[in-house]
Amino acid sequence: AHAGLVLGIESSCDDTGVAVVTASGRVLGESLATQAEVHAAWGGVVPKLAQEAHEAAIDGCVEAALAAAGVAPGQLSAVAVTIGPGLSLCLRVGVLKARQLAAQHQLPLIPVHHMEAHALVARLGATRFAAVAAAQEAAAGPAAVAAAAAAAAEPAAAAAAAEPAEAEPAAAAAGPHVEFPFLCLLISGGHNLLLLVEGIGQYVQLGTTLDDALGEAYDKVARLLGLDLMPSGGAALEAFAARGDPKGVPLTVPMRGRPSCDFSYAGLKTAVRLQIEERCPEPTADNEQVRADIAASFQRVAVQHLEERCRRAVQWARESHPEVRHLVVAGGVAANRYVGSRLTAVAAEGGLELVCPPPRLCTDNGVMVAWAGVERMQLGLMEPPPATSAPAEGE
Ligand code: KG4
Ligand code: ZN
């Protein structure tokens, strides 16, 4: 029997993710249905279509995760679900399913903040990351990912028991490796946050974006460059930028004159748009090199902005919180290898270790929600199971 099994559900944007995770952070089963293909054709996430795709996928995803884990719903300790921030039409699908499961099997419900889940998944433990990454790679090669997207109606289950079921090695069971407090950079499609994470639900915000999030800027530039937005605009741009000259096009790093930990990407986005309008208004084979140069230059400058803000935060932490040992970088854009390598250097300069979850745990997924649920459950931060009937008279 498993003590402390949490099923987590994520449906805040365009991925339906479900996972079953143990209290010690073993991923027993996972399933992910991505809708990238549905939205790529429209150039962005269409909430109504996303809601329909979540509705079509959710039951199958839950079943697939439970089946991969070899667990019946009655064996769960709790159900965790993302309650926001995100698209309300989409969030509703996950919350409804979680409430159904909680009611049917008399389970506590754990409401999870999407960005907290992105941050806490780093505490799943570095020792586990390799195993998760390997299992996911095996379960979801490029073909599986494409099939998953094409069949959003069908729960595209990249279901995998991420670790062998045998007894855990003592080191892996020793618990989370990233201790509080830690510095955290969250970079996704909707958020750009620098935080000092002091504990569950205890965050000091050091900086945020004054306009766009970095993922949003990546998506916008990918669209302007006429890229195929698969599996996401950001991932497509990263791949395309590899062919370009990162100094090929002059662009300025945002907010140089304003020392803070805040971010701004609107100006850079506009500068890139003007470059594209001037040099390659229509994507053609002839202007492919110019476009790749623009992609690479955008990425270099956008990430340089991240580096400068993180350097400042690391310096601040060194002086005021010398117990901080890690810089965690998470959220969809943290799947980017260039981002990871540049920020590894920034962390090291300041005497910190960079912790960046494997790509599949950076972009939206059910594992991070289940794990955030485990962390909250351990503090008793959950709603009791819903009452099935009114208490009898005299009770
Ligand atoms: O965390 P996430 O999956 O969803 C939100 O909470 O927003 O982040 C999605 C964002 C998208 O903007 C996507 O383009 C970006 O993360 N992204 C990337 C990469 N993979 C995903 N951006 C840059 N490079 C990548 N490899
Ligand atoms: Zn996210």
Side-chain angles (χ1 to χ4, degrees), residues 40-359:
W42 297 91
V45 177
V46 184
K48 187 79 185 111
L49 294 180
Q51 177 197 10
E52 287 167 7
H54 283 301
E55 280 168 346
I58 188 81
D59 290 344
C61 276
V62 168
E63 277 165 32
L66 285 167
V71 162
Q75 294 174 282
L76 296 169
S77 312
V79 177
V81 61
T82 302
I83 55 160
L87 300 168
S88 55
L89 286 177
C90 299
L91 289 162
R92 203 174 294 166
V93 177
V95 170
L96 195 68
K97 182 69 187 176
R99 290 213 176 282
Q100 271 172 10
L101 282 167
Q104 199 179 344
H105 304 282
Q106 284 297 288
L107 300 168
L109 191 87
I110 308 173
V112 167
H113 189 285
H114 182 77
M115 299 316 289
E116 178 170 82
H118 273 305
L120 292 180
V121 78
R123 279 162 53 83
L124 193 61
T127 47
R128 303 190 183 283
F129 288 164
V132 171
Q136 286 174 337
E137 207 129 290
V145 173
E154 222 145 289
E163 283 178 84
E166 302 96 69
E168 289 180 76
H177 142 97
V178 176
E179 305 288 347
F180 299 120
F182 59 89
L183 269 184
C184 184
L185 172 71
L186 294 179
I187 35 181
S188 70
H191 297 267
N192 224 91
L193 290 166
L194 249 172
L195 307 166
L196 176 72
V197 183
E198 297 186 304
I200 310 297
Q202 292 175 273
Y203 302 89
V204 178
Q205 186 176 304
L206 307 177
T208 185
T209 179
L210 304 181
D211 39 63
D212 300 332
L214 180 51
E216 206 175 342
Y218 262 100
D219 291 337
K220 181 69 195 268
V221 172
R223 216 158 39 235
L224 289 171
L225 289 173
L227 304 185
D228 179 13
L229 308 176
M230 291 294 293
S232 67
L237 190 124
E238 180 185 8
F240 190 60
R243 294 186 241 161
D245 173 2
K247 296 209 171 141
V249 175
L251 293 167
T252 32
V253 180
M255 289 180 85
R256 273 260 166 95
R258 282 192 279 168
S260 76
C261 285
D262 287 329
F263 303 88
S264 167
Y265 282 107
L268 178 60
K269 213 170 68 177
T270 302
V272 170
R273 181 171 54 77
L274 294 175
Q275 290 282 355
I276 293 171
E277 281 169 6
E278 191 191 314
R279 299 174 186 227
C280 46
E282 294 296 328
T284 64
D286 287 343
N287 63 30
E288 183 168 312
Q289 190 56 48
V290 182
R291 286 185 294 126
D293 291 349
I294 293 174
S297 302
F298 159 75
Q299 175 161 266
R300 181 178 68 84
V301 169
V303 175
Q304 202 166 331
H305 184 34
L306 283 187
E307 289 170 54
E308 289 174 8
R309 282 5 211 176
C310 286
R311 200 169 282 131
R312 192 178 167 81
V314 168
Q315 199 55 44
W316 170 83
R318 255 183 106 143
E319 284 159 20
S320 61
H321 293 76
E323 69 280 24
V324 167
R325 289 180 33 232
H326 295 107
L327 170 62
V328 166
V329 182
V333 185
N336 185 294
R337 294 215 189 135
Y338 180 70
V339 168
S341 75
R342 300 299 299 192
L343 294 179
T344 300
V346 171
E349 270 168 37
L352 302 187
E353 186 188 344
L354 186 101
V355 177
C356 184

